[in-house]
Amino acid sequence: MESCTKGASQMRLALQVLIGVALIWWYLFWFIQPISTAVLWIRKVDKYISQDFLGTRGSTWLLQVFPFMVVTILSYCAIALKRRMKPSTSKVTGKPRVNIWSQPLITRSPLGMLTLGDIVFLVLNVSLIIWYITKMSVDRSNLIDASKLKKGAHSRAAQKLENIGIYFGKAALIPFALLWIPVSRASPFLRLSGVPFERAVKYHTWLGLICIWILIFHGILMFTYFFYIHHPKELLSWANTGIAVFPGIIALGAGLLMLLTALQTVRRNHFNFFYFTHHLYLVFLLFFLFHCVSQMVYVVTPILLFFLDRFIRMIQSRTSVDILSTRVLPSGAIELKFAKPEDVEYHALSFMYILVPSVSQFEWHPFSVASSPLDQTNQICIYIKPLGGYTKDIHDALIETKQNREVGKLKCPFGFKLHLEGPYGDESNFYLRYDSLVLVAGGIGVTPFLAILQDILYRHKLHLAQNLPSSVHLILCVRHAKDLSILDTINPCDILPNYTDAVKITIQAYVTSRDLVTDVEMNSGHGDPAAVISYEHFRATYLNEPPKQFNCDGPPLEVVRKMSSMSGAGNVKWIAATFCSSFTGYIVIFGIFNITGTYTELMNYGRAMVYCVILFLAVVGCGGPVLLLWTLISRMRSPPKSNQVQISQSSPAEQSEASSDETTLQSMEHDGTSWVGNVTFGRRPDWKELFDDMAKQYADKKVGVLVSGSSKMQEDVAAECVRKRLSKSRSDGCNVAFSYHSVSFEL
């Protein structure tokens, strides 16, 4: 077994090296294109490779299209090998170290928190763009100066201006090709690299900003050229061949509108407006094709991957999912549980996109999974806190606060349907490799840590791995005392009796509101500005309101509608087969248009529409049958008994009795939990003091610090991790490595 795992690991490493070579190959095209000797080589490649089937730009297919295709196929192979390998939880011996590539180097900047990987990503792409524009512009300007000015031609300055504008437009293809990858939710690149959701969104934002700003400069230069040198009427022209100017103006306008509505102020205060205007990317893409259809070959593979991802998401989300159970916690957070098929895999740090049709037909929002895949049930749990307009509407739709505010007036959850996408998220379970964990959460951000706590407890119970984290320190910051009620949704002793013998879990909660400070001071006998009491005492004294439990007759378990297993992060073999089918279909259909001469006979508008038709046929016509076959085979292999949802580990009779006895349910909610820790009222954490104490407590250990909260909280915690890492002298002689990880869905 160990030899097989070692062989798979070596093969996966070899695949990763090949993937790196393919990516370098793609970047190399843009680096060598401005070099005159390289241009001659590319022309020779065109001479030998170009043919009627693929068109006259064989080098572009070789250097731009196929590298992404190779990377995609190899990524799926590496993911499949990774799933076959036994997860490693072995601890690194010797001096504690951190992965410098993923750790924050700059905690506060206009671009947010930056790791070394972020900096390298930015420097690589920005430098490549600057190199391309500068080298092409300088060489072309020198050529214009050296050539004889023809009679009736524009001045040398005008020719230089035109060419610089063209090179700006061409350089925009670099970020334009890359920005599709981070927003493909099940992208094989992100899954293989382990890039978290938040960082992927950040990369997409950076690439989008770079692309639009380059196009803005491209537009300014070309507007100047047409207004003052050429003919202004050309700005409204829609040429049948070459470059069509007017569609480019429309595409730039759509891009500017997306840029303005994506600003942080608009995005946070008017998310729905940002969400809908961001779909102007379809307008941008269409008029980009009308503007310069010949450039489509540079971006075809990432766009094909993106639309294939969207197609799979659309198929999965068509399934209407029943809610198995619902309850509202004293904090107002809503607990939703729904069924999943047995072949759907998820992880403790997974998240799902949720659409509630009764609230909105279009808005999808991500929510962390709060349950463990090891709980021996085929259901998933999430929590929704009514904070924004969308989540408040969900809360109102469930408990009917708009129509009736009587306590306990609840709608039957079985008439409340969901549409789901996912699960997505980190598949590595990296947190298991640390000696100790520090989980820092703000408010409802604690939900992914509930999944981690359960996952660790179940692994100890089922003896699934050795060298698991020996201690977990949960730091939770909330505004009101009732917000801590979410911790009581888990009783660790129910999962693993005497769990303290296996893992030490400490709760350190902070209630920033001072509403109960005076009362706590009187009960505790302390007069401190920030009163501190034990969590057990706090729960017994202040958390005495039970959750509102839904009790009504739902559908039989045999007919409960579960989420679809047709996820872009699902069965790797089927997803890879879908991509291969789609990409092969794209090449074949495009080749048919070329061989028949249909494509060459068309004008700009017709060629752009042909590209759209080919993309549609490749994704839906070629990828769709593979997905249909996947669905049919999954249904044939699924045993009839798997249709029944296991609600708990008790017998069906006990389940029925428990579901019909509301008193029993409520009394169970009042049973004390075994969490150990304290609650501090009236202040926020002193991060420096906390990390100094933890440095002594976890001396000579490798500690994983996971943060799920606001940007300010992430920056503060990251700054302390950096301070500890950069500290050269420690008077206490402690040596500890704090490895920072962000677990956030802040868009």
Side-chain angles (χ1 to χ4, degrees):
M1 182 68 180
E2 291 182 0
S3 60
C4 293
T5 302
K6 184 177 180 180
S9 178
Q10 293 175 344
M11 188 177 298
R12 183 167 173 263
L13 179 60
L15 290 174
Q16 290 175 328
V17 172
L18 292 175
I19 290 170
V21 171
L23 288 175
I24 293 173
W25 187 253
W26 183 85
Y27 275 104
L28 193 63
F29 171 83
W30 294 102
F31 181 78
I32 67 174
Q33 198 178 36
I35 303 174
S36 57
T37 54
V39 172
L40 296 175
W41 177 81
I42 290 175
R43 289 176 180 173
K44 290 181 179 179
V45 172
D46 282 333
K47 181 180 179 180
Y48 289 103
I49 297 181
S50 298
Q51 50 183 302
D52 294 336
F53 189 76
L54 293 179
T56 59
R57 308 184 72 176
S59 63
T60 308
W61 278 84
L62 177 65
L63 297 170
Q64 289 289 283
V65 178
F66 288 113
F68 271 126
M69 183 190 71
V70 170
V71 169
T72 303
I73 295 298
L74 293 181
S75 296
Y76 282 127
C77 293
I79 292 171
L81 283 174
K82 181 180 178 180
R83 290 190 169 186
R84 291 177 58 184
M85 294 165 55
K86 184 178 180 180
S88 174
T89 59
S90 59
K91 306 298 187 294
V92 179
T93 59
K95 184 178 179 180
R97 298 180 182 275
V98 298
N99 182 358
I100 191 172
W101 287 97
S102 61
Q103 294 306 297
L105 289 183
I106 302 174
T107 57
R108 292 176 177 85
S109 75
L111 296 177
M113 195 184 311
L114 298 177
T115 66
L116 180 59
D118 298 336
I119 295 173
V120 170
F121 178 83
L122 279 173
V123 171
L124 172 64
N125 289 283
V126 173
S127 299
L128 183 63
I129 292 168
I130 294 174
W131 157 260
Y132 178 85
I133 295 174
T134 304
K135 179 66 174 173
M136 293 290 284
S137 299
V138 170
D139 287 355
R140 184 62 180 174
S141 297
N142 292 336
L143 184 61
I144 292 173
D145 289 334
S147 62
K148 185 178 179 180
L149 192 64
K150 296 181 180 180
K151 186 178 180 180
H154 292 300
S155 66
R156 288 186 172 89
Q159 294 180 44
K160 292 177 183 179
L161 179 66
E162 180 187 17
N163 280 280
I164 293 173
I166 291 173
Y167 296 139
F168 265 95
K170 190 75 175 289
L173 292 170
I174 299 174
F176 186 59
L178 295 174
L179 64 82
W180 300 90
I181 297 174
V183 289
S184 298
R185 295 175 184 170
S187 168
F189 312 132
L190 301 182
R191 294 177 62 192
L192 180 63
S193 63
V195 173
F197 173 84
E198 183 185 28
R199 189 177 301 173
V201 171
K202 183 165 60 176
Y203 288 170
H204 170 74
T205 303
W206 291 346
L207 292 167
L209 285 171
I210 293 171
C211 180
I212 294 299
W213 276 109
I214 293 175
L215 291 178
I216 289 174
F217 283 110
H218 166 69
I220 291 173
L221 291 171
M222 300 312 295
F223 269 105
T224 304
Y225 172 76
F226 280 105
F227 262 109
Y228 296 103
I229 299 172
H230 204 50
H231 302 290
K233 291 183 179 180
E234 291 292 322
L235 290 171
L236 301 178
S237 66
W238 195 313
N240 291 328
T241 58
I243 301 297
V245 180
F246 185 64
I249 297 176
I250 297 177
L252 181 59
L256 286 172
L257 187 56
M258 286 191 291
L259 173 66
L260 293 174
T261 56
L263 294 174
Q264 188 175 13
T265 303
V266 179
R267 193 173 66 247
R268 288 192 173 182
N269 298 326
H270 307 282
F271 181 82
N272 292 341
F273 184 54
F274 153 75
Y275 177 80
F276 286 115
T277 56
H278 223 63
H279 282 77
L280 287 173
Y281 76 87
L282 294 170
V283 176
F284 182 91
L285 177 59
L286 180 62
F287 282 88
F288 160 78
L289 290 175
F290 291 152
H291 175 58
C292 51
V293 66
S294 61
Q295 307 302 307
M296 180 65 177
V297 68
Y298 293 101
V299 297
V300 63
T301 316
I303 290 178
L304 184 66
L305 276 170
F306 172 79
F307 281 107
L308 182 61
D309 181 75
R310 289 298 301 260
F311 181 57
I312 297 174
R313 285 160 47 191
M314 182 188 72
I315 292 177
Q316 183 188 27
S317 63
R318 288 185 61 195
T319 303
S320 183
V321 181
D322 289 316
I323 296 178
L324 296 178
S325 66
T326 309
R327 57 180 177 175
V328 180
L329 305 183
S331 63
I334 305 169
E335 178 190 82
L336 299 179
K337 291 184 178 181
F338 44 87
K340 74 172 186 68
E342 293 182 355
D343 58 346
V344 170
E345 296 183 6
Y346 72 98
H347 302 266
L349 287 177
S350 293
F351 63 92
M352 307 194 69
Y353 277 84
I354 309 294
L355 181 139
V356 184
S358 60
V359 175
S360 173
Q361 293 287 337
F362 305 103
E363 291 184 57
W364 290 86
H365 288 259
F367 294 97
S368 298
V369 170
S371 54
S372 169
L374 304 175
D375 61 5
Q376 298 179 338
T377 67
N378 50 350
Q379 59 181 278
I380 297 180
C381 174
I382 64 170
Y383 289 93
I384 302 176
K385 182 71 181 294
L387 297 173
Y390 180 81
T391 51
K392 288 180 180 177
D393 288 341
I394 295 178
H395 186 273
D396 292 340
L398 268 173
I399 66 174
E400 302 180 318
T401 54
K402 289 182 178 179
Q403 291 78 21
N404 193 329
R405 297 183 179 275
E406 294 180 5
V407 176
K409 181 64 174 179
L410 305 174
K411 184 182 291 186
C412 176
F414 301 108
F416 195 74
K417 307 300 180 186
L418 294 178
H419 293 277
L420 308 175
E421 289 180 10
Y424 308 109
D426 197 294
E427 303 174 19
S428 65
N429 294 329
F430 63 88
Y431 55 88
L432 298 176
R433 296 194 292 266
Y434 292 106
D435 300 312
S436 300
L437 291 176
V438 176
L439 311 177
V440 183
I444 198 62
V446 75
T447 51
F449 298 151
L450 298 179
I452 288 179
L453 290 172
Q454 294 178 79
D455 192 62
I456 293 175
L457 290 171
Y458 276 114
R459 287 179 185 276
H460 278 290
K461 176 181 179 179
L462 302 174
H463 305 288
L464 291 181
Q466 298 177 346
N467 299 320
L468 294 170
S470 59
S471 62
V472 181
H473 192 154
L474 174 62
I475 302 173
L476 175 58
C477 304
V478 297
R479 182 168 297 179
H480 303 289
K482 288 184 178 181
D483 294 333
L484 295 179
S485 60
I486 194 170
L487 294 177
D488 287 335
T489 59
I490 303 174
N491 189 333
C493 287
D494 287 346
I495 301 174
L496 182 64
N498 300 321
Y499 73 94
T500 54
D501 296 338
V503 57
K504 178 183 178 182
I505 301 177
T506 304
I507 305 295
Q508 195 164 354
Y510 291 84
V511 179
T512 58
S513 173
R514 299 186 59 86
D515 295 342
L516 296 177
V517 171
T518 303
D519 186 32
V520 172
E521 290 174 352
M522 292 177 61
N523 290 336
S524 62
H526 298 287
D528 298 332
V532 181
I533 61 175
S534 68
Y535 181 81
E536 293 82 357
H537 175 65
F538 164 78
R539 187 191 185 282
T541 307
Y542 301 102
L543 290 184
N544 50 15
E545 179 184 347
K548 299 183 180 72
Q549 180 74 34
F550 289 86
N551 293 287
C552 58
D553 295 329
L557 296 181
E558 292 78 6
V559 297
V560 166
R561 287 178 290 187
K562 298 175 285 189
M563 61 180 289
S564 171
S565 60
M566 300 289 292
S567 170
N571 189 296
V572 179
K573 294 179 182 178
W574 283 109
I575 297 297
T578 305
F579 167 76
C580 291
S581 175
S582 298
F583 194 81
T584 303
Y586 174 85
I587 295 176
V588 171
I589 298 171
F590 183 74
I592 292 173
F593 273 97
N594 277 326
I595 290 176
T596 58
T598 305
Y599 184 80
T600 55
E601 294 175 359
L602 294 173
M603 301 303 174
N604 276 347
Y605 178 86
R607 291 184 178 185
M609 296 307 298
V610 163
Y611 261 114
C612 295
V613 170
I614 293 175
L615 277 175
F616 178 82
L617 292 176
V619 172
V620 179
C622 300
V626 179
L627 296 176
L628 178 61
L629 183 62
W630 179 13
T631 303
L632 295 176
I633 292 179
S634 297
R635 289 177 180 176
M636 291 173 59
R637 291 180 176 178
S638 178
K641 65 178 181 180
S642 67
N643 292 328
Q644 183 165 333
V645 179
Q646 184 178 352
I647 293 183
S648 67
Q649 300 179 31
S650 57
S651 65
E654 291 171 338
Q655 294 173 10
S656 176
E657 182 180 354
S659 62
S660 63
D661 192 349
E662 181 178 359
T663 304
T664 302
L665 280 170
Q666 293 187 355
S667 64
M668 289 172 62
E669 296 299 334
H670 285 288
D671 290 342
T673 63
S674 298
W675 295 126
V676 176
N678 56 61
V679 181
T680 302
F681 288 84
R683 71 175 179 89
R684 301 179 185 276
D686 184 333
W687 299 113
K688 184 178 183 302
E689 178 183 348
L690 279 174
F691 273 83
D692 286 342
D693 291 341
M694 288 188 294
K696 299 175 183 178
Q697 181 180 353
Y698 301 124
D700 301 319
K701 291 184 178 181
K702 190 174 181 180
V703 181
V705 181
L706 283 66
V707 185
S708 176
S710 65
S711 299
K712 178 66 167 56
M713 173 180 284
Q714 294 181 56
E715 291 174 356
D716 291 342
V717 175
E720 288 303 314
C721 292
V722 172
R723 181 177 68 87
K724 286 297 181 184
R725 186 171 70 245
L726 298 180
S727 178
K728 299 298 183 182
S729 61
R730 297 182 175 91
S731 59
D732 54 12
C734 292
N735 179 33
V736 61
F738 289 109
S739 296
Y740 176 90
H741 300 273
S742 176
V743 183
S744 175
F745 298 105
E746 190 172 347
L747 298 177

